[in-house]
């Protein structure tokens, strides 16, 4: 029987690259995202099933999980997240709620919703965290806080799910060259200057690619004696 995979935020960046690699490995892949046009385009390019769902909307998450009700699911990749950077003085309660609803509550609710399907296959979950959990980032307290929650949640759920044979791990990418950097409205010259400064601080002296992170995610999914692990994909930054 063909294995199945669900990748949230699969319409771009790391999610797209992961869905592509899983498709190449003959998984039946479902991706989701908030933008209907982008989801449709990505699904067409990849030859996968596309679903419009906002991870910050509880009803959307429930409908997404319902697609697998009573069916086996081998892989869940919780990749969808928002990333905005602002000083604490500018953070509002609405910002806090949006970050934690999308980046923490949504993934947790989705795991809960598809757990029975994953149990049918002794399946595997990968949560996408971030290098900012272990390396402070000015103006990134909300984003870092959500990713720290994801890592702690991953370790505890690994202990909870082990008796039913479901594994859960996380990957923590560092500086990855994805379209998200262009969403901040910065001039291209500023983006290039910031990237050059960042690369100088990375031991491997370059940004990573979405394909490189996807390769680690799939390796983690296939590493059948691994659970509760956080694999850092950051060019050596965490070792500094």
């Amino acid at each position: 029987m063909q294995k199945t995979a669900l990748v949230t935020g699969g319409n771009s960046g790391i999610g797209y690259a992961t869905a592509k690699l899983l498709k190449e490995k003959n998984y039946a892949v479902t991706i989701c995202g908030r933008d209907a046009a982008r989801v449709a385009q990505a699904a067409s390019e990849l030859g996968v099933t596309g679903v419009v769902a906002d991870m910050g909307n509880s009803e959307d998450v429930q409908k997404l999980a319902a697609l697998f009700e009573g069916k086996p699911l081998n892989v869940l990749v919780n990749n969808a997240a928002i990333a905005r950077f602002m000083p604490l003085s500018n953070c509002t309660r609405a910002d806090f709620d949006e970050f934690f609803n999308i980046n923490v509550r949504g993934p947790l609710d989705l795991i809960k919703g598809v757990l029975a399907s994953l149990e049918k296959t002794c399946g595997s979950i990968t949560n996408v965290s971030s290098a900012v959990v272990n390396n402070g980032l000015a103006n990134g307290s909300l984003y870092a806080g959500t990713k720290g929650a994801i890592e702690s949640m991953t370790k505890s759920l690994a202990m909870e799910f082990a008796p039913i044979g479901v594994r859960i791990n996380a990957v923590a990418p560092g500086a990855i060259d994805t379209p998200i950097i262009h969403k901040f409205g910065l001039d291209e010259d500023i983006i290039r200057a910031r990237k050059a400064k960042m690369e100088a601080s990375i031991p491997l002296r370059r940004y990573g690619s979405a394909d490189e992170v996807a390769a680690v995610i799939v390796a983690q999914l296939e590493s059948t004696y691994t659970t509760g692990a956080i694999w850092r994909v950051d060019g050596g930054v965490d070792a500094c």
Side-chain angles (χ1 to χ4, degrees), residues 85-125:
F85 304 97
M86 66 191 85
L88 182 61
S89 58
N90 290 354
C91 294
T92 66
R93 176 62 183 267
D95 291 322
F96 181 91
D97 289 345
E98 183 182 22
F99 267 86
F100 277 84
N101 285 343
I102 294 173
N103 293 7
V104 180
R105 191 190 70 186
L108 189 62
D109 283 349
L110 184 56
I111 290 169
K112 182 179 178 180
V114 300
L115 185 59
S117 296
L118 288 163
E119 186 177 359
K120 290 177 181 293
T121 67
C122 290
S124 182
I125 304 163

